[in-house]
Amino acid sequence: MSCPVKNARIWWRCSLALAAASLVANSALAQTLEEVVVTAQKRAESQQDVPIAIDAFTGEQLSRLGVHSAQQILSLVPNAMVVDQGGGKQNFFVRGVGTADFHLNVVGAVGVFLDDAALNSPFAVSFATFDMERVELLRGPQNTLFGKNTTGGAVNYISHKPNVADGLNGYLQAGFGRYSQVDLEGAVGFPLGERAAVRLAAVSNTRDGVFHNVTLGQDVGEIDRQAARIQLLVDATENFTLLANIHGGQSGGDPQPFKGVGFLDPTDQTLPCAVPLDQIIPQNNPNCANGAGFVYPNEKWENVYGNLKHRQDLDTHGAGLNMEWRLASMTITSTTTWETLKVDYNEDADASPTTIFQFYQGGDYDQWSQELRAASTSEASPRWIAGLYYYSEDASYTTAVRRTPDPLAPSGPDQFNVTPNTMVDQEDRSFSAFGQLEFDLQDDLTLTTGFRWTNETKKGQNAVSVRCVGPNGGPPFCPSLPDSAFLSRSLLLSLPVLAEPPVETLDGDWSEWGARVALDYKVSDSAMLYASVSRGFKGGGFSIAALQALLGLAAQDVEPEILWAYEFGIKSDWADETVRLNAAMFYYDWKGLQSFQPLIVPGTGTAVPQLLNVPKSSLQGFEAELTWLPSPGWYLQAGIGLNDSRIEDAGLIAGISAGNKLPNVPDVTFTGMVRREIPMASGTLALQANIRYQGDVTYDLANARNLSQDAYWTASARGSYRFGERQQFEVGVWGENLTGEKYCNGMTSLAGLSESNLCVAALSEPTYGINATIRF
């Protein structure tokens, strides 16, 4: 296996990783790695037999590792990351593929699924990771079996199901940590006679603010999140099973604040700051001002500024019904899901003591989906899956900004806030037909082909306007509202209108196809080579930025995003299944990458921020993961990911050139874990350490140095002791971010607004705590 990438630095690192892995794989060892069964191809198979790059964790593994969130899961694997968009909005990136846009109607390029329900909103992923049976991360386009909006891959959460044979079972877990953190989680399952069982699960996570807002004199960044799930399993007959679930959750608290840094001269805001551009970052104290003349003091990382406390109120509820008929030659599965979500969110986007740019969002989602599929039951060739899928979503989105100063607003005593806004009502309907065939060309050689055709329509309207609020009146009279007032749709409609362009009609209709062809060759019982070609797509949509209302450019549409992926990989177990080496190299050819950036409007020369398509880009990379059990009680794991991305054609995007790197694509990621389990008395002591390295990454298509994050390391540790007759009791201690790194999970430019850049700041202070678990 070689590393045919163009960049010499990446080729060298790739070759070094392979050489080191080969050395370890030839060691003489004594233990057996756990087999993980996955459903990546809608049937139960060993992870090592599926010709897809997969990371999978069982619920027991997640518990041992102390993992309780999507961000923690992705931190365990290379070439994966979570980009925070503010508040609870989290967008996943896998192999550099994701969607960095904070608007409510945008769906990520990595599909997220919980018990076969698509979690369309980036707000919804907060509730998925309690009482898990398994979590799967699938890399590369997954359009054939998982549907649209999976160009980057899929994160598949499978909750712990009721089981009649398990009898009464469950667990209770309580944890306490720094900043008054309290984590409570539990589940209980029990049979209802001989053919039915129930499982109830719930979780609560709370924590005080970890940042201090100097302007308001308050601690901010609180967590207040609860969720619950109830499932009923009925084996109606020997061949028919019904599984129903009802779930819900709410999240309040005070979302993570921003750190700001201005880029103007502190004595004359008409001039740029004299500090070198790559030093105008929040980790420094550059003495540069924003558009209002405010200089952000950044001596203490946890100090932030802003006259509006961030707010996030999120409520979600849903239900699912899965029915399975097991016939002689096939299994027929029907999956029906219903999800509703309501969110109110606001932020002080300028992160300063004055009202320059405040951002508000409100959304109501109501979706349901129906999938009907049939799959062959025989292991003989050919094996097949075929199905139909329908998805329906009715949603309303309100986006507003509160701006001062502004060209439309006078200065002095008549100053008032301009509030451009969009109010969108949209219907999304999607229908698709899909199928997959597996042919055994010979005993050790298999060809897999899959295809999916999808038609999607998005229809509705976007009512745009520019309104005003006080405090001192204006033409016409503007009511006085305090900075803490939330600009909901109902409140916006009561404000005086400064400008009201015609209502924009939304009317999108796209038909697209996804496909995959893979060939896998079993070199031996413990090693497999595979190669694949995939075509993935992400659905089209509309740009609903509030500032577009000022220019009469609301509801600009974007075309579907198309990704061709070429991949070659190996999956292998060595040394009596005590060493596992999985590796893959890939090349992505991208057309129409969707990104929120300024676009130059032809004929005007004006740059307008909006969701748009990057005409052409590419990405090539490599990843390798090694798991090693050197002796009883030892568990070592390491992974490396390498990426080299570039824009091939920038079109009319303002300030972007061919050859620029793609945003949110670290050139290197490395993960490592060491775990030692030591038998002691009637129990087992486990000691564990994790490290993660993330290389340089830009958050900007223009690759501006002051919108880039330098490489950093993070480290965590955990110790636990399991004891009892059935090892049913466990106590543990943990620590996160032990290196105290100061870094940004995302960055955004507010040039032309507050003349500053924003950083979604990660907490630099280490956190630590204790927890206890009882299993029964």
Side-chain angles (χ1 to χ4, degrees):
M1 181 175 175
S2 59
C3 301
V5 289
K6 300 175 184 177
N7 185 287
R9 180 178 61 173
I10 290 182
W11 179 91
W12 179 84
R13 288 171 173 166
C14 165
S15 301
L16 182 62
L18 277 180
S22 299
L23 272 175
V24 174
N26 286 297
S27 300
L29 309 172
Q31 272 182 297
T32 302
L33 285 162
E34 179 180 356
E35 180 185 48
V36 178
V37 175
V38 299
T39 52
Q41 298 191 111
K42 301 293 185 179
R43 64 170 81 238
E45 301 171 282
S46 170
Q47 173 186 346
Q48 292 298 95
D49 292 336
V50 181
I52 300 173
I54 304 173
D55 284 285
F57 303 89
T58 65
E60 176 64 21
Q61 288 174 329
L62 295 174
S63 177
R64 288 202 307 263
L65 300 175
V67 172
H68 299 287
S69 70
Q71 192 153 5
Q72 288 176 313
I73 292 171
L74 267 66
S75 72
L76 295 173
V77 299
N79 273 344
M81 62 186 289
V82 176
V83 176
D84 285 327
Q85 299 285 283
K89 292 174 288 186
Q90 294 185 331
N91 287 320
F92 296 169
F93 279 74
V94 177
R95 291 178 172 174
V97 183
T99 302
D101 190 351
F102 45 81
H103 290 94
L104 294 175
N105 66 328
V106 173
V107 181
V110 175
V112 183
F113 303 86
L114 173 59
D115 294 332
D116 287 329
L119 304 181
N120 257 23
S121 170
F123 284 98
V125 302
S126 305
F127 302 103
T129 54
F130 68 100
D131 194 32
M132 286 289 100
E133 176 182 312
R134 187 173 68 257
V135 178
E136 302 170 359
L137 170 62
L138 287 62
R139 303 169 185 271
Q142 302 298 322
N143 288 89
T144 301
L145 294 179
F146 284 90
K148 66 184 178 67
N149 302 328
T150 56
T151 46
V155 180
N156 197 18
Y157 297 101
I158 299 98
S159 65
H160 198 129
K161 302 296 188 294
N163 191 332
V164 175
D166 289 343
L168 178 65
N169 70 99
Y171 67 94
L172 292 172
Q173 186 176 82
F176 306 91
R178 192 180 182 190
Y179 299 108
S180 301
Q181 179 172 334
V182 178
D183 299 312
L184 302 173
E185 183 176 328
V188 59
F190 51 89
L192 296 174
E194 297 181 353
R195 288 190 170 274
V198 171
R199 188 171 184 88
L200 300 90
V203 65
S204 173
N205 307 114
T206 59
R207 188 188 67 186
D208 289 346
V210 295
F211 289 82
H212 182 69
N213 186 311
V214 178
T215 306
L216 300 176
Q218 300 175 354
D219 290 335
V220 295
E222 305 160 359
I223 294 175
D224 183 8
R225 180 173 56 236
Q226 292 80 36
R229 181 190 305 123
I230 180 171
Q231 300 184 84
L232 171 66
L233 176 77
V234 179
D235 290 321
T237 70
E238 293 295 326
N239 299 315
F240 176 67
T241 299
L242 180 149
L243 176 66
N245 82 73
I246 299 174
H247 52 270
Q250 72 84 33
S251 179
D254 168 25
Q256 194 171 4
F258 298 133
K259 290 187 69 66
V261 56
F263 44 74
L264 301 178
D265 188 297
T267 61
D268 185 351
Q269 280 79 68
T270 65
L271 300 174
C273 193
V275 176
L277 190 64
D278 61 356
Q279 296 300 306
I280 305 179
I281 56 176
Q283 290 86 340
N284 297 330
N285 197 32
N287 193 36
C288 298
N290 68 8
F294 177 69
V295 176
Y296 297 86
N298 283 317
E299 299 95 338
K300 183 173 175 55
W301 183 256
E302 273 68 36
N303 279 355
V304 296
Y305 297 82
N307 60 331
L308 174 68
K309 186 175 182 179
H310 290 202
R311 164 184 173 175
Q312 176 186 285
D313 292 327
L314 175 66
D315 288 284
T316 181
H317 301 86
L321 178 64
N322 181 280
M323 295 180 288
E324 184 176 278
W325 293 268
R326 295 174 293 278
L327 308 178
S329 61
M330 71 179 72
T331 298
I332 299 175
T333 304
S334 170
T335 302
T336 308
T337 68
W338 169 77
E339 303 288 330
T340 182
L341 183 140
K342 178 177 173 59
V343 59
D344 289 328
Y345 171 78
N346 67 239
E347 65 187 36
D348 190 347
D350 59 80
S352 72
T354 55
T355 300
I356 304 175
F357 186 71
Q358 296 174 349
F359 184 73
Y360 303 81
Q361 289 183 318
D364 284 280
Y365 306 77
D366 192 353
Q367 70 175 64
W368 75 273
S369 66
Q370 173 64 54
E371 180 174 282
L372 182 65
R373 69 176 184 269
S376 60
T377 55
S378 172
E379 291 300 315
S381 176
R383 294 170 295 279
W384 56 268
I385 297 175
L388 302 172
Y389 179 80
Y390 181 76
Y391 173 86
S392 173
E393 179 183 75
D394 293 323
S396 62
Y397 317 107
T398 300
T399 303
V401 296
R402 191 170 177 178
R403 296 186 64 192
T404 299
D406 188 273
L408 294 177
S411 59
D414 294 327
Q415 182 73 68
F416 60 94
N417 301 134
V418 174
T419 59
N421 61 88
T422 57
M423 300 181 191
V424 178
D425 295 295
Q426 179 176 295
E427 298 177 350
D428 184 357
R429 306 289 185 262
S430 177
F431 173 77
S432 62
F434 61 92
Q436 180 169 291
L437 282 171
E438 295 178 43
F439 300 92
D440 293 332
L441 303 180
Q442 55 189 49
D443 289 345
D444 52 8
L445 185 66
T446 300
L447 174 68
T448 302
T449 61
F451 183 85
R452 189 182 199 105
W453 173 86
T454 297
N455 175 256
E456 182 176 24
T457 61
K458 292 184 177 180
K459 299 182 182 298
Q461 62 180 23
N462 184 0
V464 300
S465 65
V466 181
R467 300 169 185 264
C468 67
V469 298
N472 299 315
F477 173 74
C478 299
S480 177
L481 291 176
D483 291 326
S484 59
F486 180 76
L487 296 186
S488 64
R489 177 177 288 206
S490 59
L491 179 55
L492 282 169
L493 290 172
S494 71
L495 299 177
V497 175
L498 295 176
E500 192 167 22
V503 172
E504 298 279 353
T505 298
L506 310 181
D507 189 2
D509 190 333
W510 302 275
S511 292
E512 274 297 344
W513 59 275
R516 184 172 187 268
V517 178
L519 193 65
D520 65 84
Y521 174 62
K522 293 179 174 58
V523 181
S524 67
D525 289 341
S526 58
M528 179 181 73
L529 298 173
Y530 70 90
S532 66
V533 179
S534 304
R535 184 188 194 268
F537 66 93
K538 180 176 181 293
F542 300 95
S543 184
I544 61 171
L547 291 177
Q548 292 174 248
L550 288 171
L551 301 172
L553 296 170
Q556 298 295 294
D557 67 317
V558 289
E559 291 299 311
E561 174 181 309
I562 308 298
L563 177 66
W564 282 93
Y566 307 87
E567 181 172 341
F568 175 73
I570 180 173
K571 293 187 173 186
S572 60
D573 291 336
W574 304 81
D576 296 325
E577 297 184 355
T578 59
V579 175
R580 177 167 294 162
L581 173 64
N582 293 344
M585 60 185 67
F586 51 90
Y587 178 82
Y588 288 174
D589 188 1
W590 230 327
K591 179 182 177 182
L593 164 66
Q594 295 175 7
S595 183
F596 188 76
Q597 296 288 334
L599 179 70
I600 299 175
V601 179
T604 68
T606 303
V608 181
Q610 59 185 285
L611 185 65
L612 49 81
N613 294 111
V614 180
K616 185 175 176 55
S617 51
S618 65
L619 187 149
Q620 57 187 344
F622 168 83
E623 66 214 2
E625 295 176 276
L626 177 71
T627 305
W628 181 23
L629 308 179
S631 61
W634 283 95
Y635 180 94
L636 283 75
Q637 191 174 50
I640 188 169
L642 310 170
N643 288 292
D644 185 17
S645 66
R646 60 177 283 122
I647 296 173
E648 305 288 352
D649 179 3
L652 296 172
I653 305 175
I656 311 303
S657 303
N660 283 11
K661 291 178 59 175
L662 292 175
N664 306 296
V665 186
D667 53 359
V668 181
T669 53
F670 175 82
T671 62
M673 178 197 303
V674 178
R675 182 178 174 85
R676 175 74 164 112
E677 295 186 355
I678 308 168
M680 295 182 63
S682 63
T684 302
L685 175 67
L687 303 174
Q688 174 186 315
N690 294 73
I691 59 171
R692 178 179 174 88
Y693 172 81
Q694 181 169 297
D696 297 344
V697 61
T698 180
Y699 292 113
D700 175 47
L701 275 177
N703 295 177
R705 284 295 300 142
N706 59 342
L707 289 173
S708 298
Q709 172 62 56
D710 290 338
Y712 62 88
W713 288 89
T714 57
S716 62
R718 175 178 168 81
S720 63
Y721 181 61
R722 274 197 179 189
F723 60 98
E725 183 179 352
R726 293 176 289 105
Q727 300 287 286
Q728 70 269 37
F729 304 110
E730 182 177 3
V731 293
V733 296
W734 57 268
E736 299 281 347
N737 195 26
L738 301 179
T739 56
E741 290 285 348
K742 300 178 176 65
Y743 61 94
C744 300
N745 280 320
M747 299 180 77
T748 302
S749 173
L750 291 181
L753 300 171
S754 63
E755 310 305 335
S756 62
N757 291 334
L758 295 182
C759 158
V760 183
L763 178 66
S764 72
E765 290 288 327
T767 54
Y768 42 79
I770 60 173
N771 54 37
T773 305
I774 301 174
R775 299 174 178 87
F776 56 90

